[in-house]
């Protein structure tokens, strides 16, 4: 079985790691699969032994993008040169992300020519990336080819469901293909830990600061839990987020909260030492792709507490990973907000700008739909609010023992028992191992190769996908800019 794996680049990061793990999985499990990884940049690593660079495959704006016919021919020639023959099938990552419209068009050409293709989107131009979406305007009608020879693979149940809805009239199936989670060496607390000056009773949020990581919720939890110390690990690299990050740091100091933003920048302790010292790992993110943060802590032999994302993690429980201690929403009373009218105006403005960025028409009841999706029982989900509103609420909570008790009750933060941690660690090891991943990908490949020739290619209506991601009921004010 000869496979051509395609991505814009093979620089260190999420998709490259997935490709590296895929090939390692096949090698370790004796699968008779020969693969080449084709990208637009030279691979800087050493885990992939068969790679090719194709000019014109790297990120490119519509003005910079090469002729799709040229790119298609280069892909074919490169794959044939590396494999000794044309590939049995193509495994293409993020073809519709809007990073290079020529790749999107080239995939449509491969599909129309009858190639067997597995399209593997990790991220979507339709999901809060209007610039990417608009870069596809000339090719968007052909962005999602369909046919029995074209399969899709999604990282989570939400994306799988959205894709399946778009493809419901087509013969293209959508597989759930969660990433592998290689085992980690358990981190242990350093015997000389005190020299690192790490806070006691630490709940560590091991993420770099970006807006969707919902840093304000750390401050809310810190305002209600005085027995824990809350911290995220690293500051931002995106200069656009630096002012907000600095504002949160100052806000925490002003309220004297048991809270450190960018803990790694305040200690000489390594990341393993910070994890080893922590009582538990914490997550309050409001948006993820695969959901590695919900699985990796168990491989460290650490528990997890905080916010759940059910549309990402819903299948984890079926695979034996219990996240029952996490909360799906963190409600705070509406009367903590001085002006609900002002909040609705903020929602209206965010929706108008969001839909304008996508050149779509905002539904007439969009603002009320968004607001009602945030509210239940006279309370609103804290994690869906913008930073000024979050800070207003935290100031109120910090002065109210009654509200603090309510936050404690709903958050349910605790250090999990060892047997729970061990069970989840075992489930992750079994269900998300390289072996399991190798078996799943091979099964999809075999289904594709079993398809008889003489099939036709159609194109799905991408508007059906966009409408699902752009729905006002999904609005989160931390993801509107």
């Amino acid at each position: 079985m000869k496979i051509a794996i395609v991505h814009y680049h093979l620089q260190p990061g999420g998709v490259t790691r997935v490709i590296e793990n895929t090939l390692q999985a096949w090698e370790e499990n004796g699968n008779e699969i020969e693969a080449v990884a084709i990208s637009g940049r030279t691979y800087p690593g050493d885990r992939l032994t068969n790679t090719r660079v194709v000019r014109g495959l790297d990120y490119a704006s519509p003005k910079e993008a090469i002729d799709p016919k040229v790119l298609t021919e280069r892909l074919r020639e490169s794959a044939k040169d590396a494999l000794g023959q044309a590939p049995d099938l193509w495994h293409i990552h993020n073809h519709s992300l809007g990073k290079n419209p020529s790749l999107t068009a080239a995939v449509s050409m491969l599909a129309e020519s009858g190639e067997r293709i597995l399209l593997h989107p990790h991220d979507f131009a339709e999901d809060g990336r209007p610039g990417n979406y608009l870069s596809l305007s000339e090719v968007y009608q052909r962005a999602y080819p369909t046919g029995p020879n074209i399969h899709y693979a999604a990282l989570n149940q939400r994306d799988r469901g959205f894709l399946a809805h778009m493809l419901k009239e087509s013969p293209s199936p959508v597989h759930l293909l969660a990433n592998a989670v290689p085992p980690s060496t358990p981190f242990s607390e350093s015997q000389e830990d005190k020299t690192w000056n790490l806070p006691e009773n630490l709940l560590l949020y091991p993420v770099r600061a970006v807006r969707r990581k919902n840093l304000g919720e750390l401050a809310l939890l810190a305002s209600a839990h005085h027995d824990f110390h809350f911290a995220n690990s690293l500051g931002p690299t995106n200069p656009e987020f630096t002012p907000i990050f600095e504002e949160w740091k100052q806000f925490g100091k002003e309220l004297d909260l048991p809270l450190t933003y960018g803990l790694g920048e305040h200690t000489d302790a390594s990341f393993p030492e910070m994890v080893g010292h922590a009582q538990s790992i914490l997550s309050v993110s409001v948006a993820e792709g695969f959901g590695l943060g919900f699985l990796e802590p168990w491989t460290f032999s650490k528990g997890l507490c905080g916010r759940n994302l059910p549309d990402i993690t819903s299948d984890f429980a079926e695979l034996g990973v219990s996240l029952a201690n996490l909360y799906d929403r963190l409600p705070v009373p509406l009367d903590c907000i001085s002006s609900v009218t002002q909040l609705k105006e903020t929602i209206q403005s965010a929706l108008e700008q969001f839909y304008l960025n996508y050149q779509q028409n905002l539904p007439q009841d969009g603002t009320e739909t968004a607001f009602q999706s945030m509210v239940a029982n006279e309370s609103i989900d804290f994690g869906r609010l913008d930073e000024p509103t979050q800070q207003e609420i935290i100031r109120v909570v910090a002065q109210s023992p009654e509200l603090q008790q309510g936050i404690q009750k709903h958050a349910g933060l605790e250090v999990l028992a060892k047997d729970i941690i061990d069970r989840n660690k075992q489930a992750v090891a079994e269900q998300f191992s390289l072996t399991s991943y190798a078996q799943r990908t091979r099964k999809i490949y075999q289904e594709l190769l079993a398809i008889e020739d003489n099939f036709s290619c159609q194109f799905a209506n991408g508007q059906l996908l966009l409408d699902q991601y752009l729905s006002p009921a999904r609005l989160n004010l931390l993801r509107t800019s």
Side-chain angles (χ1 to χ4, degrees), residues 313-332:
T313 66
S314 60
D315 56 310
F316 292 175
E318 299 174 13
L319 298 173
V321 182
S322 174
L323 302 175
N325 63 305
L326 305 185
Y327 55 83
D328 293 350
R329 61 193 305 271
L330 192 54
V332 292

Side-chain angles (χ1 to χ4, degrees), residues 193-249:
D193 180 72
K194 292 182 180 180
T195 64
W196 303 125
N197 194 32
L198 291 169
E200 294 302 314
N201 297 321
L202 173 65
L203 296 186
L204 179 67
Y205 188 19
V207 298
R208 185 174 293 281
V210 296
R211 200 168 184 228
R212 66 182 172 83
K213 295 301 182 180
N214 187 22
L215 295 185
E217 199 152 301
L218 280 185
L220 177 70
L221 293 171
S223 72
H225 297 82
H226 308 295
D227 295 335
F228 288 118
H229 190 99
F230 298 81
N232 85 294
S233 52
L234 294 171
T237 54
N238 183 348
E240 293 184 6
F241 189 66
T242 299
I244 299 175
F245 182 69
E246 293 297 324
E247 184 178 326
W248 277 121
K249 288 168 69 175

Side-chain angles (χ1 to χ4, degrees), residues 166-366:
M166 177 183 68
L167 298 167
K168 61 186 177 182
E169 303 296 333
S170 86
S172 291
V174 184
H175 306 274
L176 181 64
L177 185 59
N179 293 337
V181 183
S184 302
T185 301
F187 298 152
S188 59
E189 186 173 345
S190 170
Q191 292 181 350
E192 301 184 14
D193 180 72
K194 292 182 180 180
T195 64
W196 303 125
N197 194 32
L198 291 169
E200 294 302 314
N201 297 321
L202 173 65
L203 296 186
L204 179 67
Y205 188 19
V207 298
R208 185 174 293 281
V210 296
R211 200 168 184 228
R212 66 182 172 83
K213 295 301 182 180
N214 187 22
L215 295 185
E217 199 152 301
L218 280 185
L220 177 70
L221 293 171
S223 72
H225 297 82
H226 308 295
D227 295 335
F228 288 118
H229 190 99
F230 298 81
N232 85 294
S233 52
L234 294 171
T237 54
N238 183 348
E240 293 184 6
F241 189 66
T242 299
I244 299 175
F245 182 69
E246 293 297 324
E247 184 178 326
W248 277 121
K249 288 168 69 175
Q250 185 58 40
F251 181 83
K253 291 178 181 178
E254 178 188 339
L255 271 61
D256 194 26
L257 301 176
L259 172 65
T260 303
Y261 288 114
L263 179 62
E265 298 159 13
H266 298 274
T267 177
D268 291 330
S270 66
F271 178 70
E273 285 162 339
M274 286 193 289
V275 171
H277 176 81
Q279 293 291 302
S280 179
I281 302 302
L282 175 76
S283 177
V284 292
S285 175
V286 295
E288 295 296 329
F290 163 50
L292 180 63
F294 295 97
L295 299 174
E296 198 169 43
W298 314 107
T299 73
F300 300 154
S301 295
K302 289 288 180 177
L304 177 68
C305 57
R307 178 178 285 270
N308 193 15
L309 295 175
D311 56 355
I312 303 298
T313 66
S314 60
D315 56 310
F316 292 175
E318 299 174 13
L319 298 173
V321 182
S322 174
L323 302 175
N325 63 305
L326 305 185
Y327 55 83
D328 293 350
R329 61 193 305 271
L330 192 54
V332 292
L334 267 175
D335 59 16
C336 290
I337 300 171
S338 58
S339 174
V340 172
T341 299
Q342 177 62 50
L343 175 60
K344 288 187 176 181
E345 290 175 358
T346 299
I347 292 172
Q348 174 77 16
S349 176
L351 282 172
E352 288 176 349
Q353 186 61 53
F354 210 39
Y355 275 75
L356 178 63
N357 289 344
Y358 271 100
Q359 298 182 356
Q360 301 291 307
N361 295 321
L362 175 64
Q364 286 189 347
D365 61 349

Side-chain angles (χ1 to χ4, degrees), residues 90-161:
W90 298 80
H91 185 159
I92 304 176
H93 295 266
N94 272 346
H95 80 288
S96 60
L97 183 55
K99 292 292 189 179
N100 183 340
S102 285
L103 175 59
T104 310
V107 167
S108 73
M109 294 175 183
L110 290 172
E112 286 182 312
S113 69
E115 297 282 358
R116 289 170 169 81
I117 304 173
L118 175 62
L119 296 175
H120 194 168
H122 300 248
D123 304 288
F124 293 83
E126 296 85 354
D127 187 17
R129 296 174 175 84
N132 292 28
Y133 173 79
L134 294 178
S135 77
L136 294 174
S137 57
E138 295 297 318
V139 298
Y140 194 68
Q141 289 185 339
R142 295 162 56 85
Y144 294 102
T146 73
N149 58 313
I150 303 160
H151 290 205
Y152 287 76
L155 299 184
N156 57 62
Q157 291 285 16
R158 177 202 63 196
D159 295 343
R160 183 189 192 185

